[in-house]
């Protein structure tokens, strides 16, 4: 009786942890995605001015995350000293800044639904970087799913609805520059996540230690970039004149920081497979919400592309979970069928 009550308590506790993780990730990242599009594509003020300083968004996001991660390390009485050589943190930081900058800049030329679905194609650059940096080998099914996802993304990008026009360009969404920025985003993002993985495996490193030093380097680099480009004072002047833009940026930085901690909590508690399923669902919700909020029309070809992408990703998660259950069952079966040794 006591064992059954204890088991029920553990299951209920895990259920609430799952609800907490899913709600946290979905809420923060969906708000983050909508705010990105609002800041970069919706004009502010009576003169309809567009915010053009994407590096300033990077700087605000990183300085917020850096401050919070430093606070967590100090509160938990963990060392603030770098575990790995500083240049390795900086390498992740540079790649991460380029990733985020490409992401924000691409929103000037492609809509958020196109950008979000294109992010699903990051499997191919991750596999390429994994082979080059980590010497990983992938199965044929991994390559097939990566191909199907890329095919679906290509269909979604190449066949936009004719009425969805970028505020920065007279052309359709599939402008050469917009697609180039998305390719840059995918390449840099794939390198960032792969090198982060290598850093975790190569050093005994806390997640907050890596977040702190990576974002600290990003703060310095993005601030330098703003000064060199002459955009720092222009960005400050813009948010000073448009208080609603300042509020949007502050909220964007807050949810970006919160999402980092929800992601690490989910992976640590439930594993990467559950996290991947949540992220796939989050991308679908983000696209639907963006289409409703900003009135993005979708062509029938884009619906087909979306079905191919999400169908492939969910199939991958289902196949992995099925194979995991099968291996667990076989282990239990083999253990049960093995002969019992007599007590000496």
């Amino acid at each position: 009786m006591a064992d059954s009550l204890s088991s029920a308590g553990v299951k209920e506790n895990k259920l609430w942890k799952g609800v907490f993780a899913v709600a946290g990730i979905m809420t923060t990242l969906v708000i983050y995605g909508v705010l990105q599009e609002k800041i970069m594509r919706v004009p502010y003020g009576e003169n309809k001015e567009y915010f053009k300083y994407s590096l300033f968004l990077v700087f605000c996001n990183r300085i917020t995350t850096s401050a919070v991660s430093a606070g967590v390390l100090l509160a938990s009485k963990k060392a603030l000293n770098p575990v790995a050589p500083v240049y390795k943190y900086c390498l992740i930081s540079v790649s991460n800044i380029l990733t985020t900058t490409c992401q924000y800049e691409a929103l000037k030329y492609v809509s958020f639904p196109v950008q979000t679905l294109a992010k699903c194609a990051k499997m191919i650059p991750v596999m390429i970087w994994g082979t080059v940096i980590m010497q990983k080998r992938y199965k044929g099914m991994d390559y097939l799913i990566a191909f199907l996802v890329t095919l679906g993304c290509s269909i979604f990008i190449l066949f936009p609805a004719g009425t969805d026009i970028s505020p920065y360009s007279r052309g359709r969404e599939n402008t050469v520059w917009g697609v180039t920025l998305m390719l840059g985003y995918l390449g840099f993002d794939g390198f960032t996540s792969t090198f982060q993985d290598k850093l975790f495996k190569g050093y005994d490193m806390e997640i907050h230690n890596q977040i702190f030093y990576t974002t600290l380097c990003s703060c310095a680099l993005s601030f330098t970039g703003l000064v060199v480009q002459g955009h720092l004072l222009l960005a400050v002047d813009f948010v000073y004149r448009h208080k609603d833009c300042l509020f949007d940026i502050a909220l964007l930085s807050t949810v970006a920081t919160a999402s980092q901690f929800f992601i690490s909590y989910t992976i640590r508690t439930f594993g990467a497979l559950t996290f991947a399923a949540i992220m796939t669902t989050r991308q679908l919700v983000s696209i639907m919400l963006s289409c409703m909020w900003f009135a993005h029309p979708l062509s029938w070809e884009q619906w087909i592309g979306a079905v191919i992408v999400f169908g492939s990703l969910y199939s991958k998660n289902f196949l992995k979970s099925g194979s995991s259950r099968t291996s667990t069952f076989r282990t239990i079966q083999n253990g049960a069928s093995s002969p019992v040794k007599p007590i000496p």
Side-chain angles (χ1 to χ4, degrees):
M1 182 69 177
D3 290 341
S4 61
L5 288 174
S6 176
S7 177
V10 170
K11 287 182 179 179
E12 185 177 357
N13 186 39
K14 194 164 187 179
L15 174 64
W16 283 113
K17 285 183 177 180
V19 170
F20 175 74
V22 171
I25 289 178
M26 294 288 286
T27 302
T28 55
L29 290 184
V30 167
I31 293 173
Y32 178 76
V34 172
L35 282 172
Q36 278 186 91
E37 186 167 20
K38 183 178 186 295
I39 293 169
M40 297 303 297
R41 290 177 67 95
V42 176
Y44 289 92
E46 295 180 357
N47 296 328
K48 303 294 182 183
E49 294 181 76
Y50 288 99
F51 185 83
K52 302 178 181 179
Y53 315 106
S54 55
L55 202 56
F56 185 75
L57 297 181
V58 178
F59 173 71
C60 292
N61 288 356
R62 298 305 181 266
I63 199 169
T64 304
T65 306
S66 179
V68 172
S69 57
V72 171
L73 286 172
L74 290 173
S76 58
K77 297 181 179 179
K78 292 177 181 176
L80 277 173
N81 297 330
V83 178
V86 176
Y87 78 89
K88 292 191 176 182
Y89 293 106
C90 289
L91 193 57
I92 293 176
S93 177
V94 171
S95 178
N96 188 252
I97 284 179
L98 292 171
T99 299
T100 312
T101 303
C102 286
Q103 178 182 355
Y104 289 141
E105 286 294 316
L107 280 171
K108 296 178 182 179
Y109 306 97
V110 300
S111 70
F112 180 73
V114 169
Q115 188 186 95
T116 301
L117 200 74
K119 289 178 184 179
C120 298
K122 68 172 64 176
M123 295 169 67
I124 288 183
V126 166
M127 291 169 71
I128 293 172
W129 285 118
T131 303
V132 173
I133 297 175
M134 306 283 286
Q135 284 78 50
K136 288 186 177 180
R137 294 187 179 274
Y138 298 93
K139 298 178 181 179
M141 182 59 69
D142 293 324
Y143 287 107
L144 175 61
I145 291 174
F147 169 76
L148 290 174
V149 169
T150 305
L151 175 65
C153 290
S154 300
I155 293 172
F156 198 93
I157 293 172
L158 293 173
F159 296 95
T163 56
D164 198 3
I165 304 298
S166 164
Y168 289 84
S169 174
R170 294 182 179 179
R172 285 186 170 188
E173 288 184 331
N174 54 334
T175 58
V176 174
W177 184 235
V179 173
T180 302
L181 285 168
M182 283 310 302
L183 290 174
Y185 163 82
L186 292 171
F188 291 126
D189 185 62
F191 175 84
T192 302
S193 58
T194 306
F195 200 77
Q196 280 180 306
D197 189 23
K198 184 175 182 179
L199 217 57
F200 276 125
K201 290 179 179 177
Y203 299 90
D204 185 16
M205 181 182 294
E206 286 285 335
I207 179 70
H208 300 297
N209 182 277
Q210 188 183 106
I211 291 175
F212 174 68
Y213 279 99
T214 301
T215 53
L216 196 63
C217 292
S218 296
C219 288
L221 292 170
S222 56
F223 182 82
T224 303
L226 283 168
V227 172
V228 170
Q229 292 176 353
H231 288 175
L232 179 62
L233 295 179
L234 293 174
V236 171
D237 176 67
F238 189 97
V239 297
Y240 177 78
R241 289 184 292 107
H242 303 287
K243 297 297 188 293
D244 50 342
C245 181
L246 176 63
F247 174 78
D248 289 339
I249 292 174
L251 186 57
L252 180 75
S253 300
T254 302
V255 295
T257 300
S259 68
Q260 290 287 332
F261 293 98
F262 277 115
I263 287 169
S264 60
Y265 171 81
T266 303
I267 294 175
R268 185 170 60 248
T269 307
F270 299 99
L273 184 61
T274 302
F275 173 68
I278 295 172
M279 289 300 289
T280 303
T281 306
R282 170 253 164 179
Q283 288 166 334
L284 181 60
V285 171
S286 295
I287 288 176
M288 295 299 107
L289 185 61
S290 178
C291 289
M292 291 186 292
W293 192 285
F294 297 102
H296 292 302
L298 293 180
S299 64
W300 64 269
E301 293 96 342
Q302 286 182 310
W303 282 109
I304 292 174
V307 169
I308 292 173
V309 170
F310 291 109
S312 301
L313 291 174
Y314 278 118
S315 297
K316 178 186 178 183
N317 292 333
F318 178 76
L319 289 172
K320 280 193 174 182
S321 61
S323 63
S324 177
R325 285 195 298 268
T326 302
S327 62
T328 303
F329 173 75
R330 286 176 179 171
T331 302
I332 295 171
Q333 192 177 44
N334 291 336
S337 60
S338 60
V340 180
K341 294 182 179 181
I343 300 174

